Amino acid sequence: MVEVAFFAGAIGALGGAIAVVGLRNPFYSVLALIIHLTALAGLFLLLYAQFVTAAQVVIYAGGVMVLYVFVAAYVGGVEEPAWEPIPGQRILAPLLAGALFIEISIAVLGSSLSGLGSEGPELPLGFGTPADIGQILLERFLIVFEAASILLLLAAVGAVVLAGRKPGDGETTGAVSAAGVMGFTPDRGETAPAESGEAG
Amino acid sequence: MSATTWGWLVILLPLLGSITIGLGFRALPERAAGLIGVGAVGLAFACSVAMLISLLGDPAESRHHASSLWDYANAGGLDIQLGIYVDPLSVFMALVVSGVSALIHIYSYSYMQSDRGYRRFFSFLNFFVFSMLLLVLAGNFVLLIVGWAFVGFTSYALISFWYRRETATKAGMKAFVINVVGDIGLVLAAFLIFRELGVFNYEEVFAAAPHHFTTNDGTIVAICCLLLIGAFAKSAQIPFHTWLPDAMEGPTPVSALIHAATMVTAGVYLIARAHPLFELAPTAADISAVVGAVTLIIAGTIAIVVTDLKRIIAYSTLSQVGYMIMGVSIGAYSAGMFHLMTHAFFKSLLFMAAGSIIAAMANEQNIDKISGFRRAMPFTGACLVIGSLALSGFPSTSGFFSKDEILSFATARGGWYTAFGVAGYVGALLTGIYSFRLVFRVLGGEPNDEAKELMDTGHVVHGEPRNPATGQAEDTEVGYPGAEHHIAEQAPGMKIAMGALAVLALFGGIVQIPGLDDLVTKFLEPTFADSVIVPADTTGHEWFGLAIGGVVAFAGIGIAYFLYIARPGTAPALEKRFQGIHDFLFHKWYFDEAIDFLIYRPTIAIGSFANRVFERIVVDGVVNGATDVVRSAGGVVKAAQSGFVRAYALLLFAGFAGLALYFLIVSS
Amino acid sequence: MAVEWYLVLSALLFAVGAGGVLVRRSLLVILLCLEIMLNAGNLALVAFSRMHGNADGQIFAIVVMVVAACEVVVGLGLIVAIFRRKLPLNVDDLRGLKG
């Protein structure tokens, strides 16, 4: 029974991932990622990580992916030309990915980790429950917890600054100047519209 | 005031004059610049006289004073002072230099008027006098070299005075380069002296030398030969003489001052000053005497065929300086210095007269075109005759006493030195011929057009300004001679100077009549007291020599008279008969061509080889090769900075994969 | 299921995500592939947590989720800013790092 669940989750995750990489339309890729995340949540459940499962579904599949959906809708599709400007990328990328997979697998399977080949030790009751996670989080990892909160704050502020509008501008915003500072300038002339129309 | 204080003043006054004129040249009117120049050198002469009087106040043995203004370098065994040395020899030279310079300044005051570079001229001329006085009054070899180098520079500046004339600038460079060759010799000699004796100043060097060196020791001969290189380059002896005839491109006062009276005598002064060293190295002294003798004959032979007025006088200078060098090399120090003095008088006089004639000829210098000026320019003509008489050694002129004193010393010394005496008399014959060739050609014969115009109208001819050597047309702006030409009859400054020199040329010999009053010898005795060369009683020899000298002078003048006045066609006929010899002499014994072939061409070849092959291929190859390597390495790295984020990500993952592989291998 | 199955799956997902980052050109899809890689890491963490019987791995996974969320926020903000500036959203056209 567990095996069936595992393979279902594994195939879902793998299929979602491959779909994200393979689909042309980015909106479809977003949807494929949602499926991938949900499958992963199922796998977490098999590993006795209930809180993580819930967090995955609620935060990741619920919150983060909604953001992706919004942005995908706002931004729309991007035409990806068939021609590959970087020589050898199309060949090297799968090769490298394969190499990575093999290496990590060898590293994991070849290591003499005790516990490989078994499911793991007998777990105490309440392992992975919210109560258990909460206790560990607030007793042993309090500083980590606080730091994570600050990180979230910073991210929120940063996002507002990046995407916000300054008063009095048309489309010229702090985001535009930030983008300019980061050197996002078009290299090929035909896709870069003139900025002068944008100058406020 | 002590003698040395006067000595410092003598040096500093012309320097101040030069700086004042040089810095204020925009503000000063022409006359003021000229007056400052004349005044500075005139005051310098007055201070020289005061220096003389002060020196004579000392007893004979202690007539040598050294004085130092400050330590120039005093470290590590090196002790160089900025110091002067006042003794009879330097006072004598200072008097001659400042006196003749003062007269030439007065001459230039009138002669150079209307030249746009008048102030520059006086600034340079004053600087020259300063350098020459520094040279003669210097108390150590280092300061001597400083004065030597300044003199060389000023000579270049004044030869190239009319700097828009290409022939003038080339001549200036030629003079400078040959002078630098001499400077090398002098500097090397100074190095050797320091290495051997450890000191630079004259008193200590000359005191230590006899104890340190044995006679004809290799090192002392080397030192003296290096000094000779310097002396020959400065005094234009064979084979370093080729610059002096070309130096006639400079204005006439320059020729009179630098190339007759002062700079070319610096070599003579050097040998006389360093006589203790030369007496320790008789080989070098003999070489010097031979070179002097050879120069005097060769220059004499050239002078009888060249046709440029100033160049005849230039070769005459070469010849007479040969006499002086020969004199001081065989030990006739006071005779040589006496001849230096009289030569300064009559040679400057000759140049001044030549300048006057050239002005009357509108800058034409070829004697083939000059004739019959005796009635048009009586004063100039008289000066020319007086100068030539003194030059030929006509009895009772100053040149008579000085030249023959050298030759009688040579014959008195005996042995093979008699050959020098013979050479000297042959040279005297040639001198008589060429100097009166000049006189008879210029003054004798029918008056030419310019002379006629001068006689009839009293105006000096004005031709189109031309380069006398090449005939190229010029203008009269800055860098070229001025528009006006001044002749002695009409310019007071020129008259005063030439008159004074004529008197000195005629009667200057009074100070050293042998047997009667050897004033010069007695005056210079303290300096040369340590000389080991003292021939037996020479008075008899001297009178005998004077007699022969007089005879030779008459013979020379007579031959010239015969060739040019009595039988006018003889000279061209002789020229045709001996065409080969004439050409050889006319081309100055092909020295210029020989130097060009032996030295100039190989140097240019080496230089162009160095440029084409070594510099372009080797050095540039190495240097550019290094930059090319770096640039291509940079190019390789730059290719990796494509700007494609995905390429960077690829490299990232590739690195990670490689690292993981490494760790996998290591741990297995 | 034995633990190594989860680990191998995690490695496979990571490789897929890496390949996606290298191959795709749309900024949005690259971010999505980054998410795949992060989640593969999460899976490995939770699997190890189960193997050791220690819940620290799950805490780690939660913190990774927090960080991923922040990164997504900033990344999407960048995409919006680029889109607003009318620059192409093709990562090959954003070559400011060239040189």
Side-chain angles (χ1 to χ4, degrees), chain C residues 58-79:
Chain C
Q58 296 182 11
I59 306 290
F60 203 146
I62 292 173
V63 174
V64 167
M65 263 187 244
V66 167
V67 169
C70 300
E71 169 241 333
V72 161
V73 158
V74 172
L76 289 179
L78 273 176
I79 292 180

Side-chain angles (χ1 to χ4, degrees), chain B residues 164-181:
Chain B
R164 287 172 64 193
R165 245 187 214 179
E166 199 177 312
T167 48
T169 52
K170 280 202 182 133
M173 286 195 281
K174 187 172 180 179
F176 199 58
V177 170
I178 297 180
N179 262 289
V180 166
V181 172

Side-chain angles (χ1 to χ4, degrees), chain B residues 189-239:
Chain B
F191 288 163
L192 275 177
I193 290 175
F194 180 68
R195 195 188 76 170
E196 296 294 320
L197 301 171
V199 283
F200 280 111
N201 58 333
Y202 292 151
E203 289 185 309
E204 291 177 35
V205 167
F206 298 143
H211 305 291
H212 190 93
F213 296 110
T214 56
T215 314
N216 263 339
D217 182 357
T219 321
I220 189 71
V221 172
I223 291 178
C224 290
C225 285
L226 288 168
L227 285 174
L228 283 179
I229 294 179
F232 291 158
K234 193 68 79 180
S235 298
Q237 300 297 291
I238 310 269

Side-chain angles (χ1 to χ4, degrees), chain B residues 4 8 11-12 15 66-75 78-84 130 134 139-140 142-143 146 150 200-201:
Chain B
T4 49
W8 285 114
I11 297 179
L12 287 172
L15 178 66
S67 152
S68 161
L69 265 189
W70 71 78
D71 280 347
Y72 181 60
N74 197 343
L78 209 63
D79 182 14
I80 306 175
Q81 308 280 321
L82 215 70
I84 60 173
F130 154 71
L134 186 66
N140 56 58
V142 175
L143 206 59
V146 171
F150 277 159
F200 280 111
N201 58 333

Side-chain angles (χ1 to χ4, degrees), chain B residues 638 641-651 653 656, chain C residues 18 21-25 37 91-92 94-95 97-99:
Chain B
K638 188 176 167 183
Q641 307 294 319
S642 56
F644 289 124
V645 182
R646 296 192 298 135
Y648 299 160
L650 187 69
L651 284 172
F653 285 123
F656 179 61
Chain C
V21 165
L22 293 175
V23 166
R24 292 303 295 267
R25 255 161 293 179
M37 294 202 302
V91 77
D92 282 345
L94 301 168
R95 290 184 78 185
L97 286 172
K98 180 174 162 65

